Amino acid sequence: MTETNPAAGAAESPSEIHSAADALKRAKAELEKAQAYYEKVRKQAVEGVKAVRETSVGDVIDGTLDAVRRHPGTSLTIAALLGLFLGRLFRR
């Protein structure tokens, strides 16, 4: 009686092995790109948090007043919409 090896039927051709190796190389390259992008975004987030922590209330007010001086129409529109929203929110 002859025994059959189940692994023998699963042998892959060299071209299949080569294409699988290429797929792994592409996956590795994509993973490295994703890791680099993640690191870039993480650094930007850390810098943003530091900037927010270092900003004082006076700086925020000065920035707001400067924006109002440069764009009075837009500022008035935003203030009106905010007033309507808050009025609707706290309406009894």
Side-chain angles (χ1 to χ4, degrees):
M1 192 161 158
T2 326
E3 291 185 27
T4 58
N5 185 356
E12 297 182 13
S13 69
S15 65
E16 291 173 331
I17 293 172
H18 183 66
S19 66
D22 287 343
L24 283 174
K25 287 177 186 176
R26 287 191 305 272
K28 180 182 176 187
E30 289 297 319
L31 178 62
E32 288 170 352
K33 284 182 192 177
Q35 287 173 333
Y37 182 74
Y38 166 77
E39 188 62 29
K40 177 184 169 186
V41 169
R42 188 190 66 78
K43 284 181 182 179
Q44 289 175 346
V46 167
E47 290 171 5
V49 168
K50 284 181 184 177
V52 167
R53 286 184 179 165
E54 293 172 357
T55 302
S56 69
V57 175
D59 293 338
V60 173
I61 291 172
D62 289 342
T64 303
L65 292 175
D66 185 45
V68 169
R69 283 186 199 105
R70 285 185 287 131
H71 307 285
T74 304
S75 300
L76 186 61
T77 303
I78 291 171
L81 291 174
L82 185 61
L84 286 172
F85 173 74
L86 291 175
R88 298 284 267 179
L89 183 66
F90 293 112
R91 186 171 156 190
R92 291 185 190 192

mmCIF file of all heavy atoms in Angstrom, residues 20-56:
data_model
loop_
_atom_site.group_PDB
_atom_site.id
_atom_site.type_symbol
_atom_site.label_atom_id
_atom_site.label_comp_id
_atom_site.label_asym_id
_atom_site.label_seq_id
_atom_site.Cartn_x
_atom_site.Cartn_y
_atom_site.Cartn_z
ATOM 1 N N ALA A 20 4.803 35.440 -4.205
ATOM 2 C CA ALA A 20 4.515 35.589 -2.778
ATOM 3 C C ALA A 20 5.600 36.427 -2.105
ATOM 4 O O ALA A 20 5.312 37.277 -1.260
ATOM 5 C CB ALA A 20 4.406 34.221 -2.110
ATOM 6 N N ALA A 21 6.848 36.224 -2.496
ATOM 7 C CA ALA A 21 7.951 37.017 -1.944
ATOM 8 C C ALA A 21 7.807 38.477 -2.346
ATOM 9 O O ALA A 21 8.036 39.380 -1.529
ATOM 10 C CB ALA A 21 9.293 36.457 -2.417
ATOM 11 N N ASP A 22 7.406 38.715 -3.590
ATOM 12 C CA ASP A 22 7.175 40.093 -4.044
ATOM 13 C C ASP A 22 6.037 40.751 -3.252
ATOM 14 O O ASP A 22 6.126 41.917 -2.876
ATOM 15 C CB ASP A 22 6.848 40.131 -5.539
ATOM 16 C CG ASP A 22 8.068 39.863 -6.404
ATOM 17 O OD1 ASP A 22 9.201 39.968 -5.894
ATOM 18 O OD2 ASP A 22 7.868 39.547 -7.599
ATOM 19 N N ALA A 23 4.982 39.997 -2.998
ATOM 20 C CA ALA A 23 3.856 40.528 -2.224
ATOM 21 C C ALA A 23 4.305 40.882 -0.808
ATOM 22 O O ALA A 23 3.910 41.915 -0.261
ATOM 23 C CB ALA A 23 2.719 39.518 -2.187
ATOM 24 N N LEU A 24 5.138 40.042 -0.220
ATOM 25 C CA LEU A 24 5.654 40.335 1.120
ATOM 26 C C LEU A 24 6.534 41.579 1.118
ATOM 27 O O LEU A 24 6.470 42.397 2.036
ATOM 28 C CB LEU A 24 6.439 39.139 1.663
ATOM 29 C CG LEU A 24 5.599 37.979 2.172
ATOM 30 C CD1 LEU A 24 6.494 36.799 2.538
ATOM 31 C CD2 LEU A 24 4.767 38.401 3.357
ATOM 32 N N LYS A 25 7.346 41.744 0.075
ATOM 33 C CA LYS A 25 8.190 42.932 -0.024
ATOM 34 C C LYS A 25 7.346 44.192 -0.156
ATOM 35 O O LYS A 25 7.634 45.213 0.467
ATOM 36 C CB LYS A 25 9.143 42.813 -1.221
ATOM 37 C CG LYS A 25 10.267 41.834 -0.998
ATOM 38 C CD LYS A 25 11.139 41.711 -2.237
ATOM 39 C CE LYS A 25 12.181 40.616 -2.066
ATOM 40 N NZ LYS A 25 12.967 40.420 -3.288
ATOM 41 N N ARG A 26 6.268 44.130 -0.972
ATOM 42 C CA ARG A 26 5.381 45.276 -1.118
ATOM 43 C C ARG A 26 4.668 45.596 0.193
ATOM 44 O O ARG A 26 4.528 46.755 0.568
ATOM 45 C CB ARG A 26 4.359 45.033 -2.228
ATOM 46 C CG ARG A 26 4.948 45.105 -3.632
ATOM 47 C CD ARG A 26 3.859 45.138 -4.699
ATOM 48 N NE ARG A 26 2.919 44.030 -4.603
ATOM 49 C CZ ARG A 26 3.074 42.840 -5.193
ATOM 50 N NH1 ARG A 26 4.156 42.602 -5.920
ATOM 51 N NH2 ARG A 26 2.164 41.899 -5.064
ATOM 52 N N ALA A 27 4.255 44.557 0.904
ATOM 53 C CA ALA A 27 3.586 44.756 2.188
ATOM 54 C C ALA A 27 4.542 45.386 3.199
ATOM 55 O O ALA A 27 4.156 46.281 3.958
ATOM 56 C CB ALA A 27 3.049 43.432 2.721
ATOM 57 N N LYS A 28 5.786 44.953 3.186
ATOM 58 C CA LYS A 28 6.789 45.519 4.094
ATOM 59 C C LYS A 28 7.013 46.997 3.766
ATOM 60 O O LYS A 28 7.098 47.839 4.666
ATOM 61 C CB LYS A 28 8.098 44.755 3.981
ATOM 62 C CG LYS A 28 9.187 45.281 4.887
ATOM 63 C CD LYS A 28 10.490 44.527 4.718
ATOM 64 C CE LYS A 28 11.562 45.166 5.573
ATOM 65 N NZ LYS A 28 12.870 44.583 5.327
ATOM 66 N N ALA A 29 7.101 47.324 2.483
ATOM 67 C CA ALA A 29 7.307 48.717 2.076
ATOM 68 C C ALA A 29 6.117 49.585 2.499
ATOM 69 O O ALA A 29 6.303 50.698 3.003
ATOM 70 C CB ALA A 29 7.518 48.797 0.564
ATOM 71 N N GLU A 30 4.907 49.084 2.340
ATOM 72 C CA GLU A 30 3.718 49.829 2.749
ATOM 73 C C GLU A 30 3.681 50.010 4.264
ATOM 74 O O GLU A 30 3.301 51.070 4.758
ATOM 75 C CB GLU A 30 2.444 49.126 2.267
ATOM 76 C CG GLU A 30 2.224 49.192 0.779
ATOM 77 C CD GLU A 30 2.047 50.616 0.284
ATOM 78 O OE1 GLU A 30 1.358 51.414 0.944
ATOM 79 O OE2 GLU A 30 2.597 50.933 -0.779
ATOM 80 N N LEU A 31 4.077 48.987 4.997
ATOM 81 C CA LEU A 31 4.124 49.089 6.455
ATOM 82 C C LEU A 31 5.141 50.142 6.886
ATOM 83 O O LEU A 31 4.875 50.937 7.791
ATOM 84 C CB LEU A 31 4.462 47.739 7.079
ATOM 85 C CG LEU A 31 4.595 47.713 8.601
ATOM 86 C CD1 LEU A 31 3.283 48.095 9.260
ATOM 87 C CD2 LEU A 31 5.059 46.353 9.066
ATOM 88 N N GLU A 32 6.288 50.178 6.239
ATOM 89 C CA GLU A 32 7.303 51.183 6.569
ATOM 90 C C GLU A 32 6.792 52.593 6.264
ATOM 91 O O GLU A 32 7.030 53.525 7.023
ATOM 92 C CB GLU A 32 8.598 50.892 5.819
ATOM 93 C CG GLU A 32 9.326 49.665 6.362
ATOM 94 C CD GLU A 32 10.482 49.222 5.495
ATOM 95 O OE1 GLU A 32 10.657 49.762 4.379
ATOM 96 O OE2 GLU A 32 11.218 48.326 5.937
ATOM 97 N N LYS A 33 6.065 52.745 5.144
ATOM 98 C CA LYS A 33 5.470 54.051 4.820
ATOM 99 C C LYS A 33 4.465 54.455 5.886
ATOM 100 O O LYS A 33 4.430 55.604 6.318
ATOM 101 C CB LYS A 33 4.764 54.006 3.466
ATOM 102 C CG LYS A 33 5.666 54.023 2.272
ATOM 103 C CD LYS A 33 4.805 54.018 1.014
ATOM 104 C CE LYS A 33 5.599 53.748 -0.222
ATOM 105 N NZ LYS A 33 4.733 53.679 -1.417
ATOM 106 N N ALA A 34 3.634 53.509 6.306
ATOM 107 C CA ALA A 34 2.618 53.799 7.318
ATOM 108 C C ALA A 34 3.275 54.166 8.644
ATOM 109 O O ALA A 34 2.815 55.078 9.337
ATOM 110 C CB ALA A 34 1.688 52.595 7.496
ATOM 111 N N GLN A 35 4.350 53.477 9.002
ATOM 112 C CA GLN A 35 5.047 53.791 10.242
ATOM 113 C C GLN A 35 5.667 55.188 10.187
ATOM 114 O O GLN A 35 5.605 55.935 11.164
ATOM 115 C CB GLN A 35 6.128 52.742 10.529
ATOM 116 C CG GLN A 35 5.566 51.415 10.981
ATOM 117 C CD GLN A 35 6.630 50.342 11.090
ATOM 118 O OE1 GLN A 35 7.654 50.381 10.413
ATOM 119 N NE2 GLN A 35 6.369 49.363 11.937
ATOM 120 N N ALA A 36 6.238 55.546 9.053
ATOM 121 C CA ALA A 36 6.825 56.879 8.901
ATOM 122 C C ALA A 36 5.741 57.950 8.976
ATOM 123 O O ALA A 36 5.921 58.992 9.624
ATOM 124 C CB ALA A 36 7.584 56.978 7.574
ATOM 125 N N TYR A 37 4.603 57.698 8.341
ATOM 126 C CA TYR A 37 3.487 58.658 8.385
ATOM 127 C C TYR A 37 2.963 58.796 9.808
ATOM 128 O O TYR A 37 2.688 59.894 10.277
ATOM 129 C CB TYR A 37 2.381 58.211 7.436
ATOM 130 C CG TYR A 37 1.215 59.171 7.395
ATOM 131 C CD1 TYR A 37 1.324 60.391 6.748
ATOM 132 C CD2 TYR A 37 0.018 58.857 8.024
ATOM 133 C CE1 TYR A 37 0.268 61.278 6.716
ATOM 134 C CE2 TYR A 37 -1.045 59.735 8.004
ATOM 135 C CZ TYR A 37 -0.913 60.947 7.352
ATOM 136 O OH TYR A 37 -1.965 61.817 7.330
ATOM 137 N N TYR A 38 2.824 57.683 10.507
ATOM 138 C CA TYR A 38 2.362 57.711 11.898
ATOM 139 C C TYR A 38 3.312 58.538 12.756
ATOM 140 O O TYR A 38 2.863 59.354 13.563
ATOM 141 C CB TYR A 38 2.257 56.291 12.457
ATOM 142 C CG TYR A 38 2.122 56.251 13.952
ATOM 143 C CD1 TYR A 38 0.907 56.537 14.561
ATOM 144 C CD2 TYR A 38 3.216 55.963 14.765
ATOM 145 C CE1 TYR A 38 0.776 56.522 15.935
ATOM 146 C CE2 TYR A 38 3.101 55.949 16.135
ATOM 147 C CZ TYR A 38 1.880 56.231 16.716
ATOM 148 O OH TYR A 38 1.763 56.228 18.074
ATOM 149 N N GLU A 39 4.587 58.347 12.577
ATOM 150 C CA GLU A 39 5.577 59.091 13.365
ATOM 151 C C GLU A 39 5.485 60.589 13.070
ATOM 152 O O GLU A 39 5.564 61.419 13.971
ATOM 153 C CB GLU A 39 6.982 58.569 13.082
ATOM 154 C CG GLU A 39 8.042 59.128 13.976
ATOM 155 C CD GLU A 39 7.841 58.793 15.444
ATOM 156 O OE1 GLU A 39 7.260 57.744 15.765
ATOM 157 O OE2 GLU A 39 8.273 59.604 16.290
ATOM 158 N N LYS A 40 5.286 60.934 11.805
ATOM 159 C CA LYS A 40 5.146 62.342 11.417
ATOM 160 C C LYS A 40 3.914 62.959 12.074
ATOM 161 O O LYS A 40 3.980 64.053 12.640
ATOM 162 C CB LYS A 40 5.043 62.437 9.894
ATOM 163 C CG LYS A 40 4.822 63.821 9.363
ATOM 164 C CD LYS A 40 4.649 63.787 7.851
ATOM 165 C CE LYS A 40 4.161 65.108 7.327
ATOM 166 N NZ LYS A 40 3.849 65.068 5.907
ATOM 167 N N VAL A 41 2.787 62.267 12.014
ATOM 168 C CA VAL A 41 1.544 62.770 12.604
ATOM 169 C C VAL A 41 1.679 62.871 14.120
ATOM 170 O O VAL A 41 1.215 63.830 14.737
ATOM 171 C CB VAL A 41 0.356 61.871 12.201
ATOM 172 C CG1 VAL A 41 -0.896 62.201 12.999
ATOM 173 C CG2 VAL A 41 0.087 61.996 10.715
ATOM 174 N N ARG A 42 2.329 61.891 14.738
ATOM 175 C CA ARG A 42 2.521 61.911 16.186
ATOM 176 C C ARG A 42 3.349 63.113 16.612
ATOM 177 O O ARG A 42 3.009 63.816 17.575
ATOM 178 C CB ARG A 42 3.195 60.624 16.658
ATOM 179 C CG ARG A 42 3.251 60.486 18.178
ATOM 180 C CD ARG A 42 4.132 59.334 18.619
ATOM 181 N NE ARG A 42 5.529 59.541 18.295
ATOM 182 C CZ ARG A 42 6.348 60.339 18.997
ATOM 183 N NH1 ARG A 42 5.908 61.008 20.027
ATOM 184 N NH2 ARG A 42 7.606 60.472 18.647
ATOM 185 N N LYS A 43 4.417 63.389 15.878
ATOM 186 C CA LYS A 43 5.258 64.545 16.202
ATOM 187 C C LYS A 43 4.481 65.850 16.052
ATOM 188 O O LYS A 43 4.610 66.756 16.871
ATOM 189 C CB LYS A 43 6.503 64.572 15.308
ATOM 190 C CG LYS A 43 7.545 63.563 15.707
ATOM 191 C CD LYS A 43 8.755 63.639 14.804
ATOM 192 C CE LYS A 43 9.779 62.585 15.181
ATOM 193 N NZ LYS A 43 10.951 62.611 14.303
ATOM 194 N N GLN A 44 3.672 65.955 14.990
ATOM 195 C CA GLN A 44 2.854 67.154 14.803
ATOM 196 C C GLN A 44 1.857 67.323 15.938
ATOM 197 O O GLN A 44 1.617 68.442 16.404
ATOM 198 C CB GLN A 44 2.118 67.094 13.468
ATOM 199 C CG GLN A 44 3.010 67.265 12.269
ATOM 200 C CD GLN A 44 2.257 67.086 10.964
ATOM 201 O OE1 GLN A 44 1.137 66.589 10.918
ATOM 202 N NE2 GLN A 44 2.895 67.484 9.861
ATOM 203 N N ALA A 45 1.281 66.223 16.397
ATOM 204 C CA ALA A 45 0.317 66.295 17.498
ATOM 205 C C ALA A 45 0.998 66.742 18.784
ATOM 206 O O ALA A 45 0.460 67.568 19.523
ATOM 207 C CB ALA A 45 -0.357 64.939 17.697
ATOM 208 N N VAL A 46 2.192 66.221 19.042
ATOM 209 C CA VAL A 46 2.930 66.614 20.245
ATOM 210 C C VAL A 46 3.267 68.101 20.190
ATOM 211 O O VAL A 46 3.112 68.824 21.180
ATOM 212 C CB VAL A 46 4.202 65.751 20.402
ATOM 213 C CG1 VAL A 46 5.139 66.321 21.448
ATOM 214 C CG2 VAL A 46 3.836 64.319 20.756
ATOM 215 N N GLU A 47 3.715 68.566 19.026
ATOM 216 C CA GLU A 47 4.034 69.990 18.873
ATOM 217 C C GLU A 47 2.786 70.846 19.049
ATOM 218 O O GLU A 47 2.839 71.917 19.654
ATOM 219 C CB GLU A 47 4.667 70.245 17.508
ATOM 220 C CG GLU A 47 6.068 69.673 17.374
ATOM 221 C CD GLU A 47 6.594 69.741 15.953
ATOM 222 O OE1 GLU A 47 5.916 70.320 15.077
ATOM 223 O OE2 GLU A 47 7.701 69.212 15.722
ATOM 224 N N GLY A 48 1.655 70.383 18.527
ATOM 225 C CA GLY A 48 0.401 71.117 18.679
ATOM 226 C C GLY A 48 -0.029 71.212 20.131
ATOM 227 O O GLY A 48 -0.472 72.272 20.591
ATOM 228 N N VAL A 49 0.105 70.124 20.863
ATOM 229 C CA VAL A 49 -0.261 70.126 22.285
ATOM 230 C C VAL A 49 0.653 71.072 23.058
ATOM 231 O O VAL A 49 0.184 71.834 23.917
ATOM 232 C CB VAL A 49 -0.207 68.696 22.863
ATOM 233 C CG1 VAL A 49 -0.301 68.708 24.372
ATOM 234 C CG2 VAL A 49 -1.328 67.848 22.270
ATOM 235 N N LYS A 50 1.939 71.054 22.734
ATOM 236 C CA LYS A 50 2.872 71.969 23.405
ATOM 237 C C LYS A 50 2.497 73.421 23.120
ATOM 238 O O LYS A 50 2.540 74.261 24.008
ATOM 239 C CB LYS A 50 4.304 71.705 22.946
ATOM 240 C CG LYS A 50 4.927 70.477 23.546
ATOM 241 C CD LYS A 50 6.352 70.309 23.063
ATOM 242 C CE LYS A 50 6.976 69.030 23.571
ATOM 243 N NZ LYS A 50 8.327 68.842 23.047
ATOM 244 N N ALA A 51 2.142 73.711 21.872
ATOM 245 C CA ALA A 51 1.770 75.082 21.501
ATOM 246 C C ALA A 51 0.521 75.524 22.249
ATOM 247 O O ALA A 51 0.440 76.662 22.710
ATOM 248 C CB ALA A 51 1.551 75.184 19.995
ATOM 249 N N VAL A 52 -0.443 74.629 22.395
ATOM 250 C CA VAL A 52 -1.670 74.974 23.117
ATOM 251 C C VAL A 52 -1.368 75.218 24.593
ATOM 252 O O VAL A 52 -1.886 76.152 25.200
ATOM 253 C CB VAL A 52 -2.733 73.862 22.945
ATOM 254 C CG1 VAL A 52 -3.882 74.036 23.916
ATOM 255 C CG2 VAL A 52 -3.243 73.847 21.512
ATOM 256 N N ARG A 53 -0.513 74.397 25.158
ATOM 257 C CA ARG A 53 -0.170 74.561 26.575
ATOM 258 C C ARG A 53 0.582 75.865 26.833
ATOM 259 O O ARG A 53 0.469 76.446 27.902
ATOM 260 C CB ARG A 53 0.668 73.387 27.062
ATOM 261 C CG ARG A 53 -0.135 72.126 27.240
ATOM 262 C CD ARG A 53 0.696 71.025 27.812
ATOM 263 N NE ARG A 53 -0.107 69.830 27.995
ATOM 264 C CZ ARG A 53 0.388 68.636 28.213
ATOM 265 N NH1 ARG A 53 1.690 68.471 28.284
ATOM 266 N NH2 ARG A 53 -0.407 67.602 28.368
ATOM 267 N N GLU A 54 1.348 76.291 25.849
ATOM 268 C CA GLU A 54 2.149 77.506 26.015
ATOM 269 C C GLU A 54 1.358 78.779 25.699
ATOM 270 O O GLU A 54 1.816 79.874 25.986
ATOM 271 C CB GLU A 54 3.392 77.431 25.125
ATOM 272 C CG GLU A 54 4.368 76.355 25.555
ATOM 273 C CD GLU A 54 5.492 76.142 24.567
ATOM 274 O OE1 GLU A 54 5.489 76.797 23.501
ATOM 275 O OE2 GLU A 54 6.364 75.306 24.841
ATOM 276 N N THR A 55 0.184 78.637 25.114
ATOM 277 C CA THR A 55 -0.626 79.791 24.743
ATOM 278 C C THR A 55 -1.406 80.275 25.965
ATOM 279 O O THR A 55 -2.061 79.500 26.649
ATOM 280 C CB THR A 55 -1.616 79.415 23.629
ATOM 281 O OG1 THR A 55 -0.879 78.926 22.519
ATOM 282 C CG2 THR A 55 -2.421 80.609 23.184
ATOM 283 N N SER A 56 -1.345 81.577 26.198
ATOM 284 C CA SER A 56 -2.085 82.148 27.325
ATOM 285 C C SER A 56 -3.429 82.682 26.833
ATOM 286 O O SER A 56 -3.668 82.828 25.631
ATOM 287 C CB SER A 56 -1.281 83.273 27.970
ATOM 288 O OG SER A 56 -1.197 84.377 27.099
#
